[in-house]
Amino acid sequence: MNEKLKKALDECKSAVFFGGAGVSTESGIPDFRSVDGLYNQKYKYPPETILSHTFFMRNTKEFYDFYREKMICTYAKPNRAHIALAELEKAGKLKAIVTQNIDGLHQAAGSKVVYELHGSVHRNYCMKCHKFYGLEAITESKGIPECTCGGIIKPDVVLYEEGLDEDTIENAVTAIATCDLLIIGGTSLNVYPAAGFLRYFRGNKIVLINKSETSFDSKADIIIRDPIGQAFADES
């Protein structure tokens, strides 16, 4: 583990991790805004358009064609960062993870307290009867997935034009506001309202782990430019 990060963790009583797409890129999941990210690839429609509520309602089949191909990564496994964070929680040092990711890799690594600001691909529900379905309802169907009642199954992910879940917001803000160490990793901090939650932090120290500069750099006490898996890696 990076020495500065380790020292900050040793000195704190409770830590919260706030993460974005960069946490999962080392697991093979593409991010959105890097040179090779989804937003810089060419599609019939811009990804921001396809991943909007309006597009989902008007072009549901095309939404699912993109969603199955680009948003679901069943091959991905937790990387060193996911595993280290789960171990820190188990040790009683990390009290929560606040993530912008929808891949479920934190839970797969063993983390229990995970606030998923943008939902999860592993949860899906019928828009008509509200019955819940697992990921297989999407991956094992073709075209538009349908419930047994005939309704359309929608991923429990936050699309553009949709609001965040109020309970998740409250839990995330409370966790950030009451910890004394905030670790920010793998995020450009350009997505709002999620990035705005950081203003609630009242603790002692902020560690920022990101390969490129962010708008939050000036507020960080420690900046680490290593890949996030390397920053958290066990030295052994």
Side-chain angles (χ1 to χ4, degrees):
M1 181 180 291
N2 178 281
E3 288 186 10
K4 291 181 179 179
L5 174 59
K6 185 178 186 303
K7 186 173 186 293
L9 281 163
D10 288 342
E11 293 175 349
C12 82
K13 293 181 180 179
S14 65
V16 165
F17 179 80
F18 180 94
V23 179
S24 293
T25 52
E26 291 176 45
S27 294
I29 297 179
D31 66 2
F32 286 83
R33 291 174 172 78
S34 68
V35 174
D36 299 320
L38 287 178
Y39 287 176
N40 290 308
Q41 297 179 27
K42 301 301 181 184
Y43 302 101
K44 185 177 177 182
Y45 301 95
E48 301 99 314
T49 299
I50 299 173
L51 296 173
S52 70
H53 179 81
T54 297
F55 192 91
F56 174 82
M57 298 302 292
R58 293 178 179 175
N59 308 84
T60 311
K61 184 182 181 302
E62 287 183 90
F63 168 89
Y64 272 110
D65 289 343
F66 178 89
Y67 185 80
R68 287 190 182 95
E69 180 183 358
K70 296 297 183 181
M71 304 303 291
I72 297 175
C73 303
T74 54
Y75 56 81
K77 304 296 181 187
N79 60 51
R80 293 180 294 180
H82 295 111
I83 293 167
L85 288 165
E87 290 173 348
L88 285 168
E89 181 191 58
K90 190 175 181 181
K93 186 63 75 170
L94 188 76
K95 72 175 190 176
I97 290 171
V98 180
T99 180
Q100 300 171 79
N101 297 339
I102 60 174
D103 50 51
L105 290 180
H106 285 297
Q107 291 92 331
S111 292
K112 304 299 183 186
V113 184
V114 183
Y115 301 126
E116 297 169 307
L117 298 177
H118 298 148
S120 172
V121 297
H122 296 280
R123 299 190 303 270
N124 305 274
Y125 66 93
C126 172
M127 298 176 69
K128 185 177 179 181
C129 74
H130 306 293
K131 178 180 178 181
F132 268 79
Y133 287 87
L135 183 58
E136 66 280 354
I138 309 300
T139 58
E140 295 178 7
S141 62
K142 294 182 179 179
I144 301 172
E146 290 188 356
C147 176
T148 52
C149 78
I152 294 174
I153 298 174
K154 182 182 183 295
D156 189 15
V157 299
V158 179
L159 302 177
Y160 288 101
E161 306 167 347
E162 295 179 345
L164 306 188
D165 178 75
E166 291 294 333
D167 288 339
T168 304
I169 291 175
E170 184 177 346
N171 288 330
V173 167
T174 299
I176 290 170
T178 56
C179 69
D180 61 347
L181 172 65
L182 179 61
I183 305 169
I184 304 167
T187 173
S188 61
L189 297 174
N190 288 326
V191 177
Y192 284 82
F197 294 172
L198 302 182
R199 71 178 184 272
Y200 293 100
F201 178 65
R202 298 290 183 268
N204 300 323
K205 192 168 289 184
I206 295 174
V207 177
L208 197 156
I209 308 167
N210 204 55
K211 289 190 285 187
S212 58
E213 292 183 8
T214 77
S215 59
F216 209 74
D217 283 12
S218 62
K219 297 179 178 64
D221 299 286
I222 299 170
I223 297 175
I224 300 170
R225 295 295 185 212
D226 298 334
I228 194 160
Q230 181 179 325
F232 277 102
D234 190 326
E235 294 175 356
S236 61

